[in-house]
Amino acid sequence: MILAATTNESLAHTANVLVYSSMAVYTLAFFAHIAEWVLGSRSKVGRTAAALTGAGAKAAATVEVRTAEKEKGGGTAVLERPKVITRSAAGRRDVPDGPGAAGGSLKGDLYGRIAVSMTALGFLLEAAGVISRAMAVQRAPWGNMYEFSTTFSTVAVGTYLAFLLTKKNVRWIGLPLVTTVLLNLGIATTVLYTDSDQLVPALHSYWLWIHVSTAIFCGAVFYLGAVGTLFYLLRDVYESKIARGVAVGRAWSSVMERLPAAATLDKFSYRVNAAVFPLWTFTIIAGAIWAGDAWGRYWGWDPKEVWSFITWVAYACYLHARATAGWKGRKAATLALVAFGCWLFNYYGVNIFVTGKHSYAGV
Amino acid sequence: MSKTETTPAETAESAEAVKNAESADAAASAGSADETSLTPEATEARELGAAGSQLSTAPREESAVGGPSLGPIGWIRWFWRQLTSMRVALILLFMLSLAAIPGSLIPQNSVDELKVQTFQEKHGTVTPIYEKLQLFDVYSSVWFSAIYLLLFISLIGCIVPRTWQFVGQLRGRPPAAPKRLTRLPAYTTWRTTAEPEEAREAALAMLKRRRFRAHTAGDAVAAEKGYLREAGNLLFHIALIVMLVAFATGQLFKSEGGKLILEGDGFSNTLTQYDDFKSGSMYDSDDLEPFSFSLDKFVGTFERKGPQVGTAREFEAHVSYQTEAGGKERKAVIEVNEPLEVKGSKVYLIGHGYAPVLTVRDGKGKVVFKGATPLLPIDNNITSTGAIKVMDGYRDSKGKKQQLGFNAFFVPTFAGKGNGSMFSQFPELDYPVLALTGYVGSLGVDSGLPQNVYQLDTSKMKQFKDADGNKLAARLLPGETMKLPGGAGSVTFEKDIKEWATFTVSQQPGNGFALAGAIGAVLGLVGSLFIQRRRIWVRAVRGADGVTVVEMAGLGRSESAKLPEELGDLALTLNAEAPTAEEAADAAQESQENTDVSDTSTAAATTGEPVEGAEK
Ligand code: HEM
């Protein structure tokens, strides 16, 4: 087996430089996003109020059928396509999505685009950093908390960019995401930093690749879901205030107006959370199989295992709450935030404050 | 006709009610006064009689207040219905996650008994309270078990009726079209040149081609797809039960034994050979597989430089084993992640340490003891402590039978003299030093009480003192000898230092079931969360002016952008076979406006921009 001497120091150094560069670029993205929000605030947006107070025109939305119609006989009569009329469930507020941070301001939008480009560049640099770290240590780059954290934020940003690429309405995540990624990298490079090194024997396993990669991925996507949930709560409170005719401060209202509608945010976070829940289930199972190989029991109520289980049950609660009358909406959203809180505690709290068999924090 | 058919008007309304459980709930709580007056028939009608019902087998919510005034059987039924309701399942799930927390913060007997002892010594006042509350055994405590048992009773009570209901749905047919299709979440219409029958036939054929379950009922085709969602959901919940049962059998029938083996020594799998042995309450020790193995060599390597110096890098136990007494001998390497599997048992490598070899001679130079004694590591650099006990064969200078005991303190890499630290600097044997203090007297091993092999009971022993009356202590390098005072003999620290490894041999039936349950759970979840169950209705009737009007509408479990898209797709396909009639544009426009007018209060605009995601 390869021993410590193979740790390639210059590659490891390159990896660190790449991570620092990505931080610099993310910082630029952060300021560009701020500019986007600030410039966008000048534009007038009052669609929520209009929709909720009935002043807005009633609009039965139609969905254009995407399938291209076949040309018929060299373009004779182009037939009227069937238009699909949609309506949401009764009792739901019908509010159009906000225009986004730039709020229709061209200059704001330009800054927004710069921010997204910078985020993409930061992502490439960070991903290169993670990969060169992996090459430097000749193993999966997930042996300690520094490595988890860098991979974690890379995946979160990557998922966000993938959503953007598939034309999902997610640009509103940009600012909070970049902010927290910077925070996360700041902590990673200072408090959690660990020099590149080999693994303890318990981590020598292909399950490391499976279990840890899915765990990191789930965490990153759960994080995006949590941001969506948080914004949903804020926006939902705002919308219900407007609907009740309660006055809302102008600055706050300007921010809220530009977000998607509460219903959209709620759907977004539900889908994201529901989509990763099976993967999270798989992650725990993979961990149990690995524990069975490494420690002779697949489940031993080790703190890390307990908190993974708690996180899992908390997300199951959230999914059940959504299917249970009286628990939809804000209550379910709160459960989703609690569940993500459990995930965070499992990551930071258990690694740092609680000792168990999973002591590989390197701090 | 299936019993799901009711008057279309009712149907549409129920669809709405199902679509919007929020309002249903509001209605339920608002009408809690007449909740008791709601006959089971009425409930059933509400449950079954709708086009939108049965899109899921989720139990209906009942308000928690207003228990029956029916007598014991009524109460039992009420209680059962509460227990198997979604709301109670939710609360139980939440309680389960809360109840799991203390076990991760307070040391647990099942995880590390030593830690529990240390904790109890440190926190004298809370210990009795914690013990009463079973906080050192959270996961086998009465209250934790109560929660998960209730949860699983609830689960079974929920699953069985849901499964029957689902089977019923599979045998029945999709409910007929509601009267007013315009009320459904996705709707489209056009006037066509085709005859109504033609249009219906085309629709039926198309829907069947797309693997909908479809049939014609009256003037409309009713179709449904996505039953796998429900199947997945049921599979998931059943898999949870399988996992729990597997877990429980594993606990009841498992056995786990620990054994420390010196390099060169062997072990055969019988109860008496274990250092410690735990088993479940249903375990029978005759079940032990008759295999044996010996530790040929142990290899441990450690990080030599960098910030993690001293961290373990590789542990390998090279063993020879036989699967049955007298069987063929085979070689294997056991590593931390790679247990040796012999029939139903697994042998895991757990830990390792050093065993210095000592030779003890009496005053006449006769060897009374020679052997390796395993010492217990107390830190990561394998600073070790232990006791060497010379039970018999030793006679003191006066010829009296005595026993000898030595407390040993061993470091594989000594910091160097005058360096302040007696602790080891590195886990490998770079500069091994052994410190000994000796005692003579009775070891107390005959008292019948079990004794810790790593500790000396010095209550009936006298410590050796040097000429000045100080306690005798020597720090030995390999090959060196410590003389015991007064011609009591000598102790030699031999150059050959052995390594030992500890192994856990475990047998746990039910693992296969647990794994199967786990796989079923993941598959079920994927089906349940990624598949959308939806219904499509196509109505074709002759309008007042003699032209056929086609109406299509769709209803899904949850609001999804996919549904209108799919409906649009289907409409387009059908439109090819039932082409739009001449002045269609105006007429369609008109009919649209009509629907708008009739539904002004609820007509809703969702954005045309779908946010696609998990839900399909
Ligand atoms: C160990 C406990 C349980 C776990 C982890 C669990 C988990 C889940 C999950 C992940 C879903 C998917 C939610 C969705 O479709 O969005 C679900 C759905 C469901 N669960 Fe459970 N569940 C548990 C216990 C129960 C119990 C005790 C009941 C019975 C009352 C129950 C009834 C249901 C029902 C009816 C659905 C379908 C909801 C719907 O159609 O939307 N579950 N469960």
Side-chain angles (χ1 to χ4, degrees), chain B residues 2-6 10-11 14 18 40-56 60 165 169 173 175-176 535:
Chain B
S2 72
K3 63 177 171 181
T4 55
E5 188 148 334
T6 39
E10 235 183 271
T11 301
S14 306
V18 170
E41 288 87 346
T43 318
E44 201 184 339
R46 203 169 73 180
E47 249 176 281
L48 299 177
S53 75
Q54 294 190 318
L55 258 174
S56 126
R60 278 208 86 76
Q165 211 184 329
Q169 287 173 24
R173 291 167 135 185
R535 291 185 179 147

Side-chain angles (χ1 to χ4, degrees), chain A residues 171-194:
Chain A
R171 233 169 83 180
W172 49 271
I173 302 184
L175 182 59
L177 178 66
V178 169
T179 313
T180 41
V181 162
L182 276 172
L183 204 69
N184 167 60
L185 284 178
I187 295 174
T189 48
T190 52
V191 186
L192 304 179
Y193 185 75
T194 318

Side-chain angles (χ1 to χ4, degrees), chain A residues 1 4 59 61 67 83 85-88 90 94 168 197-199 202 204 271 281 290 292 294 296 298 306-307 313 317 320, chain B residues 20 90 93 100 104 139 184-188 303 311-314 336-337 348 511 525 559 569 604-606 611-612 614:
Chain A
M1 243 314 278
T67 333
K83 286 223 171 79
I85 304 164
T86 59
R87 43 185 290 156
S88 47
D94 275 303
K168 305 271 190 284
D197 221 320
Q198 297 303 307
L199 295 176
H204 283 290
R271 285 180 186 168
T281 310
W290 186 7
Y298 57 84
V306 172
W307 279 93
V313 175
C317 271
H320 271 170
Chain B
N20 190 350
L90 181 63
L93 271 173
S104 71
Y139 305 108
L184 295 175
Y187 174 80
T188 185
E303 184 61 64
T311 311
R313 288 301 166 226
E314 216 137 14
V336 175
N337 275 302
Y348 296 90
N511 284 3
L525 262 185
E559 223 167 297
D569 258 8
T606 54
V611 183
E612 289 147 37

Side-chain angles (χ1 to χ4, degrees), chain A residues 270 277 320 323, chain B residues 56 84 154-155 158 162 229 233 236-237 557:
Chain A
Y270 168 69
F277 185 74
H320 271 170
Chain B
S56 126
T84 56
S154 166
L155 188 54
C158 186
R162 283 177 62 199
R229 179 202 176 91
N233 194 280
F236 170 72
H237 286 88
R557 258 284 322 273

